[in-house]
Amino acid sequence: MKKIREYRLRANLSQGQLAEKVNVKQPSVSQWERGTAYPAIDTAKKLCEVLQIPFNMIFDQYSGEGPLDIPVYSRIRGSGDPVPSTRVESSLRVSEEELRRLIPKSELEVRGLSDDPKAKIDPNWFFGYYCESDNLAPMILPHTINLIYRTDKPHSNSIHLVSIEGRDGSLVRLIQNEQGILALIKGTSDRYRYFKQQEIRNGALIIFGLVVESRKTMLN
């Protein structure tokens, strides 16, 4: 039950806000997080919907054969070649259940997971990307390890790791429409670049993956 606090914080909710969303009182949430009480089944299902986690994680249970090692890189060259991190741990240990939760719903069929929820997760679908920058979108904090789901498809209005005009990978928000893709680049001031479909086909914009989770490190 103590996992509820972790996922509540990831959802940027206070105990009171979470309580309101699942129709209970704030002290109930506090008791769940301390492990001194458990929610009713119907309430647990609501928690899953609000926090976007599998049902068994509400009760601190994990499926699978143990954690998987995900490599962490500090740089992705324009060619796509990774540079292993030397500032933080070189790998993340993440449970298979967590990775399954992080796969975008639109990708479940692509990965063959929609018909078989017990199908194995390939850790190569993910990698970590360490970011030091202070000049990023609010959802990406500096000094974080960002878990990247490997895909070359844009997920509109989400943060992606991309290469622009052959440069090293950077984190940008992509917005897709019928004409092309708008890349919102966070720097000293907000900037943007619009890519037409022909430019994308020519490699002016290369998508390495989608940010599905950010984890704060101990570095300042």
Side-chain angles (χ1 to χ4, degrees):
M1 290 301 298
K2 295 179 181 179
K3 277 286 182 181
I4 289 179
R5 180 178 185 276
E6 176 184 343
Y7 292 105
R8 172 177 62 78
L9 294 176
R10 289 184 188 179
N12 197 29
L13 295 173
S14 67
Q15 287 186 347
Q17 289 170 325
L18 178 58
E20 183 177 354
K21 287 180 178 293
V22 298
N23 299 318
V24 299
K25 301 294 185 181
Q26 180 272 331
S28 295
V29 176
S30 178
Q31 291 173 345
W32 299 339
E33 293 184 354
R34 295 198 310 272
T36 60
Y38 295 87
I41 296 298
D42 288 346
T43 303
K45 290 179 179 178
K46 291 179 183 177
L47 282 170
C48 292
E49 295 174 1
V50 172
L51 300 178
Q52 297 185 341
I53 59 177
F55 183 81
N56 61 351
M57 294 185 75
I58 291 291
F59 300 97
D60 296 336
Q61 297 173 352
Y62 293 88
S63 62
E65 300 177 354
L68 301 172
D69 288 318
I70 307 299
V72 176
Y73 306 124
S74 59
R75 179 182 169 196
I76 303 293
R77 296 189 175 96
S79 61
D81 295 330
V83 177
S85 172
T86 57
R87 290 294 308 278
V88 294
E89 54 266 37
S90 60
S91 65
L92 288 175
R93 303 214 78 191
V94 186
S95 75
E96 185 174 345
E97 193 64 51
E98 281 188 279
L99 293 181
R100 188 183 303 275
R101 175 180 62 82
L102 293 172
I103 295 176
K105 291 182 179 179
S106 60
E107 295 281 329
L108 292 177
E109 185 174 353
V110 175
R111 296 297 189 181
L113 300 174
S114 57
D115 295 328
D116 184 3
K118 294 184 179 180
K120 288 292 184 182
I121 300 297
D122 187 342
N124 291 318
W125 296 345
F126 297 87
F127 65 91
Y129 176 72
Y130 173 62
C131 184
E132 292 185 343
S133 176
D134 292 313
N135 299 316
L136 293 170
M139 68 175 289
I140 304 294
L141 297 173
H143 306 293
T144 55
I145 297 176
N146 299 282
L147 199 57
I148 308 293
Y149 170 74
R150 295 181 188 271
T151 179
D152 59 1
K153 299 177 182 177
H155 290 251
S156 192
N157 204 28
S158 297
I159 302 294
H160 296 70
L161 180 62
V162 307
S163 171
I164 296 177
E165 301 290 359
R167 293 191 290 272
D168 287 351
S170 59
L171 295 173
V172 303
R173 184 183 295 276
L174 299 182
I175 299 176
Q176 186 177 27
N177 58 33
E178 294 179 355
Q179 287 73 42
I181 295 177
L182 180 67
L184 302 178
I185 306 164
K186 199 77 174 180
T188 53
S189 62
D190 288 337
R191 296 179 291 129
Y192 66 90
R193 165 85 186 269
Y194 184 77
F195 293 90
K196 296 181 179 180
Q197 292 295 346
Q198 184 61 40
E199 291 181 286
I200 297 170
R201 286 192 289 269
N202 290 339
L205 174 70
I206 299 175
I207 301 173
F208 298 130
L210 169 71
V211 177
V212 292
E213 185 176 79
S214 294
R215 301 186 175 198
K216 192 74 173 174
T217 72
M218 299 301 292
L219 296 178
N220 296 316

